[in-house]
Amino acid sequence: MVSSNLFHCRKHSWPPEEYISRNTLQLFDFDSAAPPEQAWRRRLNSHANILKEFSVTFKEAIQMVRLGIRLWSYVREEASHGRKAPIDPFTRESCKPSASQGVPLGGMGSGSISRGFRGEFRQWQIVPGICESSPVMANQFSIFISRDGGNKNYASVLAPGQHEGIGKAGDQGISSWGWNLSGQHSTYHALFPRAWTVYDGEPDPELKISCRQISPFIPHNYRDSSLPTAVFVYTLVNTGKERAKVSLLFTWANSIGGISHLSGDHVNEPFIGEDGVSGVLLHHKTAKGNPPVTFAIAACETQNVSVTVLPSFGLSEGSCTTAKAMWGTMVQDGHFDRGNFNWGPSMPSSPGETLCAAVSASAWVEPHGKCTVAFALAWSSPKIKFLKGSSYHRRYTKFYGTSERAAQNLVHDALTNYKQWEEEIEKWQDPILKDEKLPEWYKFTLFNELYFLVAGGTVWIDTRNGHHRSREVETTGIKVTEPQVNCNGGPDHTTTNHHNTTSSEQKENNKAFHTKCICKDESAVSRERGNLDHTLDPFTFLDPLSDDVGRFLYLEGVEYIMWCTYDVHFYASFALLALFPKIELNIQRDFAKAVLSEDGRKVRFLADGSVGIRKARGAVPHDLGTHDPWNEMNAYNIHDTSKWKDLNPKFVLQVYRDFAATGDMSFGVDVWPAVRTAMEYMEQFDRDDDGLVENDGFPDQTYDAWTVHGVSAYCGCLWLASLQAAAAMAMQLGDKYFAELCKSKFAKAKSAFESKLWNGSYFNYDSGSSNNSKSIQADQLAGEWYMASSGLPSLFDDVKIRSALNKIYDFNVMKVRGGKMGAVNGMHPNGKVDETCMQSREIWSGVTYAVAATMILSGMEDKAFTTAEGIFTAGWSEEGYGYWFQTPEAWTIDGHFRSLIYMRPLAIWGMQWALSLPKAILDAPKINIMERSLLSPSTRFSLIGETGVKKIATKANCLGNSVFHCSC
């Protein structure tokens, strides 16, 4: 529950001594058993309040009624085909969201399971694009303790018994278990990708217990970071005078969340592996034709630890062994029969029956002695299949093969390698955690926001074996031709405007998808590369000489099911660039390919009901798709995003930043034709030849409910920045003529931008005459953020930049609950929140982090951390609204959320980027963008040749291996 203290005080330190006794911390001061000095902490008996979702005002509802009707119809249409619409505000989860989340399990891209701070396993995302939020309550750790003399015995699930359905009299299921933990003396400590749960004398006052959860999320480790596994290391310290027999129990249901456990045909089987690793495999047959999944739960037997299993038990009275009987065996014996390892595979479960398994690890702990017991969990779903037919193998199969039984090898390797993982994690995190200049809340929030790279529906595939498309998809007549580059002319602008169509044209919706790029000398490409057939091959645009790290997708959010939404990736991508730069470059290659493609299939846009093509050549797509990513992009269909004004500049800015940061000349040459094409495409939006793009009177940018008229601070600033970035990249690639033209256009556009929007203290929202045209937009300097982050000159003089940032701080930040909520998107100059639309009155967590990063880069660190701390206070603090490990896109000034588990808050890594700019950025070649150009700013991009690219690429010895080729 939100405390009234939220808006009255700030807490600056959360030492573990406030949650755990000093004596207990000293007992755990070995083998990483003690929680770290900096971590996000909660007591297990903390109330997990139900979160409050936003609602639209009456005025907003009237504005959006037509959109709502069309969206409702579209959601129903998709449901009739067995698909979930990318955006569905009408369907509600049966499990209401609550403030109960914790660190998720596993590496990236192989499916994920989250674990709440009280111990429940929830947020199941094994099938791509599907999130089952309800916890599976049979999945638990439990403890059984008996001491010499037999007068002290304890048995309890290691989670507070505060869950619905627990405590039913006479039940044969989990209600019969001992839910005896109050949680009053137990605490949770999170520092992603690890978490500690410390039981400080409960259930046994003389036994101290630490459970350390470890997942293989290791920056720059492209192997282990893909593994679907996690380890749970229990450290036991006996403070009593009698030795204690301690049995830990790990129970698991054969389920992938929701009601999947009831579908039937599931099978369990025990196994004994190498190095003492033993457990149970749970083979899950998924419904609706999805690929199967095999779970493995295991423990490691040592000289002091004995492992036994119960391969199957059920939750109902008709089960061969019931949950109640299983619990009784553990209470009485503290272990299972060793002969259970001789069981073969169980009989397949019947529909409606729940099949569970258990692994027990038992040890004697001497008086004042210590003992370590390690469990592991893995899930192997090697094949990923999207609803429209394409299927791929997950990244981890490159190392473990394509059998579901790889789960057994995964748990073995997890239990034998976790200490090395921890060493690598600590080596990465320690320099930041030990930096005394950084606020404590920032240190652990920086790492904890990375939860999204695991729990954000990530998909990471192996590209070695290509992919498979089903017969159903192949017969739709989709055709993909070899993408070829127009080295001189860029996009053919006669093909970029296909937005108004007749009803007869709508009937052609299933006609071929043509990737159309015209090359000046097609034969030259064939001679240089050979006659390659790339039909329906999404992998041809990967750089063949780069390390093959596979392909990567992550969702905009679990409620907005679109892969790699690019206008949001603009904010989030700093995390990938800093930690997994090869993944980031491959995402940019995917979008570079998309820029040079066109998808002529017809789409109805829901905002106004118009019909247009799915993807125009030259336009950066909004996303890589939903049900057939890479092959069917732009799942977003509210607006025609080929008319958006921010996507193309964001592509140019991200590409240049990544090029400068990595120094990867091959990457630069690879994507350069797409950069040029993206810039050329934008010329059509300069209506008055002032060098600036104009917005078209609808929400044609990432704020897709906030209408813009004429020149806007947000899109205009991004456009200015993209001109500067394109000029810098052109110079480094040897395309001097294009660089000169960008410089010429920049000078003209900057003058127009400042004259139309600068009001003496900040840039107006837009140049229109609406009642919010003079609003103070928090995100008005997004382009400047990227300039400073990329080592490029500032767009404006320092006085203007600092003036605008101070205005944002004084109004958008400090006038909203004293700065303890983040930066509201829009604020009128009279100090009132801009309530023009839903988004203008919202606080966007990721945008607030971006504003803070811009402040850091402008020498305003104190105000930057105050600004960003508002997101921590409202979203992550104990007095806040409960958004930890599910940071939403937005909340209102009264704390009501919109879109939980969202991509944009990864922008906090933009702050860390600003604090420690890479040497490659600091040493990047400087350009004088204001140096007079010999070219007229009225010259069109498409009239300039690309004479220098081949020369510089040949010198770099990379053109022959580049995706894009041109004969110049």
Side-chain angles (χ1 to χ4, degrees):
M1 189 66 67
V2 178
S3 166
S4 59
N5 292 330
L6 173 60
F7 306 116
H8 297 289
C9 66
R10 274 194 170 96
K11 187 173 180 178
H12 299 287
S13 179
W14 296 261
E17 293 86 353
E18 288 188 7
Y19 296 80
I20 309 169
S21 68
R22 288 183 179 273
N23 182 53
T24 299
L25 285 172
Q26 291 172 355
L27 292 173
F28 287 137
D29 190 21
F30 74 101
D31 194 30
S32 300
E37 285 295 318
Q38 289 93 15
W40 179 91
R41 313 185 198 278
R42 285 295 177 277
R43 299 190 186 280
L44 263 60
N45 66 345
S46 298
H47 177 62
N49 56 289
I50 300 298
L51 306 182
K52 296 180 179 179
E53 191 168 6
F54 87 107
S55 58
V56 296
T57 65
F58 179 76
K59 174 186 173 183
E60 292 163 352
I62 294 299
Q63 291 172 339
M64 295 189 291
V65 63
R66 290 184 177 86
L67 167 61
I69 292 170
R70 294 188 192 100
L71 181 56
W72 179 77
S73 176
Y74 173 68
V75 168
R76 291 191 62 188
E77 179 186 356
E78 286 293 283
S80 71
H81 296 291
R83 300 190 294 262
K84 184 174 175 62
I87 301 175
D88 178 7
F90 308 106
T91 304
R92 289 287 177 265
E93 295 284 346
S94 57
C95 178
K96 293 183 178 180
S98 63
S100 56
Q101 300 290 7
V103 174
L105 307 173
M108 299 188 297
S110 295
S112 71
I113 306 164
S114 291
R115 193 169 184 229
F117 73 87
R118 296 187 303 194
E120 67 274 17
F121 294 86
R122 57 194 312 139
Q123 298 291 140
W124 298 73
Q125 297 184 78
I126 305 298
V127 178
I130 297 177
C131 180
E132 296 286 358
S133 57
S134 299
V136 176
M137 294 307 297
N139 298 350
Q140 298 289 347
F141 285 99
S142 303
I143 194 165
F144 304 82
I145 306 162
S146 61
R147 293 183 178 271
D148 283 348
N151 58 343
K152 295 179 182 178
N153 296 301
Y154 303 90
S156 180
V157 178
L158 287 174
Q162 303 172 4
H163 306 283
E164 184 179 352
I166 289 174
K168 298 178 183 176
D171 184 40
Q172 297 295 310
I174 64 172
S175 294
S176 62
W177 295 354
W179 298 86
N180 302 317
L181 197 80
S182 72
Q184 181 180 357
H185 302 292
S186 301
T187 52
Y188 181 83
H189 312 258
L191 187 66
F192 178 90
R194 296 189 293 173
W196 291 254
T197 305
V198 176
Y199 306 88
D200 194 359
E202 60 175 332
D204 182 347
E206 295 181 338
L207 185 70
K208 310 296 185 181
I209 308 165
S210 168
C211 172
R212 189 164 82 258
Q213 172 187 312
I214 308 149
S215 291
F217 181 97
I218 305 165
H220 308 288
N221 184 330
Y222 294 87
R223 181 191 186 279
D224 292 353
S225 296
S226 72
L227 304 183
T229 186
V231 177
F232 306 89
V233 181
Y234 280 84
T235 302
L236 311 172
V237 180
N238 183 3
T239 61
K241 297 179 180 179
E242 303 162 320
R243 72 170 185 160
K245 182 183 180 182
V246 181
S247 298
L248 287 159
L249 178 71
F250 189 14
T251 52
W252 198 259
N254 197 323
S255 169
I256 58 172
I259 59 171
S260 61
H261 55 288
L262 302 176
S263 58
D265 282 337
H266 310 315
V267 173
N268 294 355
E269 64 170 314
F271 71 88
I272 297 178
E274 298 177 351
D275 302 313
V277 176
S278 304
V280 181
L281 297 176
L282 298 90
H283 306 290
H284 186 86
K285 183 178 180 180
T286 57
K288 299 180 181 179
N290 285 307
V293 184
T294 292
F295 292 95
I297 56 172
C300 190
E301 191 161 84
T302 65
Q303 186 175 1
N304 190 40
V305 178
S306 174
V307 177
T308 57
V309 300
L310 182 63
S312 63
F313 68 90
L315 303 183
S316 58
E317 191 168 351
S319 304
C320 182
T321 301
T322 65
K324 183 175 183 178
M326 181 278 297
W327 188 267
T329 298
M330 288 299 300
V331 169
Q332 179 176 328
D333 302 328
H335 60 83
F336 300 115
D337 191 331
R338 294 286 300 183
N340 291 352
F341 281 115
N342 298 323
W343 291 14
S346 67
M347 292 293 293
S349 63
S350 302
E353 176 188 7
T354 302
L355 189 63
C356 303
V359 174
S360 168
S362 304
W364 283 97
V365 187
E366 298 299 322
H368 307 290
K370 300 175 182 180
C371 180
T372 298
V373 179
F375 292 88
L377 165 70
W379 53 98
S380 179
S381 181
K383 191 175 182 180
I384 184 170
K385 181 181 178 183
F386 293 99
L387 282 179
K388 288 192 175 179
S390 293
S391 58
Y392 310 86
H393 284 118
R394 296 188 190 267
R395 165 75 173 169
Y396 79 90
T397 63
K398 180 175 183 177
F399 317 107
Y400 284 85
T402 57
S403 168
E404 292 85 18
R405 299 185 70 89
Q408 180 175 336
N409 293 329
L410 284 163
V411 288
H412 171 273
D413 290 356
L415 286 168
T416 54
N417 293 333
Y418 74 85
K419 291 183 179 180
Q420 180 182 340
W421 293 346
E422 289 193 285
E423 288 177 6
E424 294 183 51
I425 291 167
E426 289 171 4
K427 183 179 179 181
W428 157 48
Q429 293 183 336
D430 278 355
I432 294 173
L433 296 175
K434 293 177 181 177
D435 188 340
E436 296 181 357
K437 298 188 298 294
L438 298 176
E440 185 172 324
W441 68 265
Y442 170 80
K443 296 177 187 179
F444 59 76
T445 306
L446 177 72
F447 293 114
N448 285 337
E449 288 283 18
L450 289 171
Y451 85 93
F452 188 84
L453 289 178
V454 172
T458 50
V459 169
W460 194 356
I461 65 168
D462 177 25
T463 56
R464 294 172 307 154
N465 300 318
H467 77 301
H468 170 74
R469 301 194 72 185
S470 71
R471 181 178 302 275
E472 175 187 356
V473 174
E474 291 175 349
T475 58
T476 60
I478 296 176
K479 298 178 182 178
V480 181
T481 59
E482 171 77 9
Q484 302 146 9
V485 178
N486 177 356
C487 296
N488 283 334
D492 176 0
H493 289 288
T494 63
T495 66
T496 58
N497 296 308
H498 292 291
H499 311 301
N500 298 318
T501 58
T502 64
S503 58
S504 62
E505 288 173 301
Q506 295 177 34
K507 298 178 182 178
E508 300 177 2
N509 191 50
N510 291 324
K511 286 193 175 181
F513 164 28
H514 299 288
T515 303
K516 304 188 296 187
C517 302
I518 310 302
C519 186
K520 178 177 70 176
D521 186 354
E522 182 176 345
S523 61
V525 177
S526 299
R527 286 194 303 272
E528 194 164 350
R529 301 196 65 189
N531 295 316
L532 303 179
D533 178 14
H534 298 305
T535 303
L536 293 178
D537 186 355
F539 305 122
T540 57
F541 277 68
L542 292 172
D543 179 4
L545 280 191
S546 67
D547 293 338
D548 177 15
V549 298
R551 283 184 126 183
F552 190 85
L553 298 169
Y554 64 147
L555 290 173
E556 178 177 337
V558 297
E559 298 176 40
Y560 295 164
I561 309 171
M562 293 163 283
W563 301 108
C564 294
T565 299
Y566 201 73
D567 56 306
V568 185
H569 181 67
F570 174 78
Y571 297 84
S573 57
F574 284 91
L576 284 174
L577 180 59
L579 306 177
F580 297 95
K582 293 178 183 178
I583 289 178
E584 166 64 10
L585 294 188
N586 278 354
I587 290 175
Q588 300 299 356
R589 286 187 174 99
D590 284 333
F591 279 91
K593 174 186 176 181
V595 169
L596 299 175
S597 71
E598 180 172 293
D599 186 344
R601 288 172 290 185
K602 302 299 185 292
V603 173
R604 181 175 296 279
F605 301 111
L606 304 178
D608 59 6
S610 65
V611 175
I613 65 171
R614 179 175 291 276
K615 164 72 175 66
R617 184 158 55 90
V620 174
H622 172 274
D623 55 80
L624 292 178
T626 291
H627 299 306
D628 196 9
W630 297 300
N631 299 305
E632 185 181 273
M633 291 171 285
N634 276 343
Y636 178 91
N637 62 347
I638 293 178
H639 299 291
D640 181 354
T641 58
S642 64
K643 294 180 179 178
W644 276 20
K645 309 308 183 298
D646 63 336
L647 288 168
N648 283 39
K650 285 176 175 176
F651 171 71
V652 175
L653 291 172
Q654 289 182 74
V655 163
Y656 179 76
R657 177 204 58 189
D658 297 352
F659 173 62
T662 62
D664 190 332
M665 185 64 72
S666 176
F667 168 75
V669 173
D670 211 29
V671 300
W672 177 243
V675 171
R676 280 195 47 158
T677 301
M679 294 297 290
E680 292 161 3
Y681 182 86
M682 293 299 291
E683 282 193 315
Q684 63 183 297
F685 302 121
D686 181 4
R687 318 291 189 193
D688 54 6
D689 197 32
D690 62 352
L692 285 171
V693 296
E694 279 85 40
N695 294 87
D696 285 327
F698 75 100
D700 49 357
Q701 26 80 44
T702 193
Y703 299 90
D704 58 351
W706 199 356
T707 298
V708 199
H709 300 275
V711 176
S712 70
Y714 184 67
C715 295
C717 188
L718 289 170
W719 173 244
L720 287 178
S722 68
L723 285 168
Q724 184 155 280
M729 191 168 182
M731 288 293 291
Q732 293 177 57
L733 290 175
D735 194 349
K736 296 181 181 179
Y737 287 103
F738 194 82
E740 289 298 314
L741 182 54
C742 288
K743 289 164 64 177
S744 175
K745 286 184 176 291
F746 175 84
K748 183 177 182 180
K750 177 185 175 182
S751 175
F753 183 84
E754 292 185 332
S755 66
K756 292 182 178 182
L757 295 179
W758 181 252
N759 63 20
S761 60
Y762 65 95
F763 294 101
N764 289 334
Y765 176 68
D766 65 28
S767 62
S769 56
S770 64
N771 61 4
N772 72 319
S773 289
K774 295 189 185 322
S775 284
I776 309 161
Q777 184 178 11
D779 213 1
Q780 62 185 268
L781 291 176
E784 174 59 30
W785 172 36
Y786 258 71
M787 291 298 90
S789 296
S790 305
L792 290 172
S794 296
L795 297 176
F796 317 107
D797 62 65
D798 290 345
V799 173
K800 285 188 175 71
I801 293 170
R802 293 176 69 93
S803 174
L805 289 173
N806 278 317
K807 194 74 172 183
I808 293 165
Y809 179 81
D810 292 340
F811 280 70
N812 301 62
V813 177
M814 298 308 294
K815 287 187 182 296
V816 180
R817 307 294 178 92
K820 297 178 178 65
M821 294 286 288
V824 69
N825 284 335
M827 178 72 80
H828 288 296
N830 64 3
K832 293 184 178 180
V833 172
D834 184 344
E835 298 186 348
T836 302
C837 68
M838 173 182 72
Q839 292 174 340
S840 64
R841 63 183 174 90
E842 288 179 331
I843 294 155
W844 286 12
S845 50
V847 167
T848 299
Y849 288 143
V851 171
T854 312
M855 290 175 173
I856 290 170
L857 292 162
S858 301
M860 301 167 60
E861 285 194 12
D862 288 346
K863 291 184 177 180
F865 283 114
T866 299
T867 296
E869 189 177 358
I871 300 301
F872 168 77
T873 302
W876 286 82
S877 75
E878 195 158 8
E879 297 78 22
Y881 297 107
Y883 298 139
W884 44 83
F885 299 102
Q886 52 188 332
T887 317
E889 157 76 316
W891 53 71
T892 58
I893 59 174
D894 55 1
H896 293 194
F897 75 89
R898 180 172 62 81
S899 187
L900 294 170
I901 311 181
Y902 196 80
M903 181 198 294
R904 203 181 321 249
L906 284 170
I908 193 173
W909 278 87
M911 294 178 64
Q912 188 60 26
W913 187 270
L915 289 165
S916 53
L917 285 173
K919 187 175 186 298
I921 293 291
L922 296 173
D923 296 344
K926 305 299 185 230
I927 65 165
N928 185 356
I929 195 70
M930 295 307 294
E931 183 180 79
R932 184 175 180 180
S933 172
L934 300 177
L935 295 176
S936 167
S938 299
T939 306
R940 294 184 65 81
F941 282 126
S942 58
L943 297 179
I944 295 185
E946 199 174 338
T947 57
V949 176
K950 187 170 183 179
K951 182 187 298 184
I952 192 72
T954 303
K955 187 182 297 184
N957 194 28
C958 60
L959 182 62
N961 301 307
S962 171
V963 168
F964 303 111
H965 295 268
C966 56
S967 59
C968 302

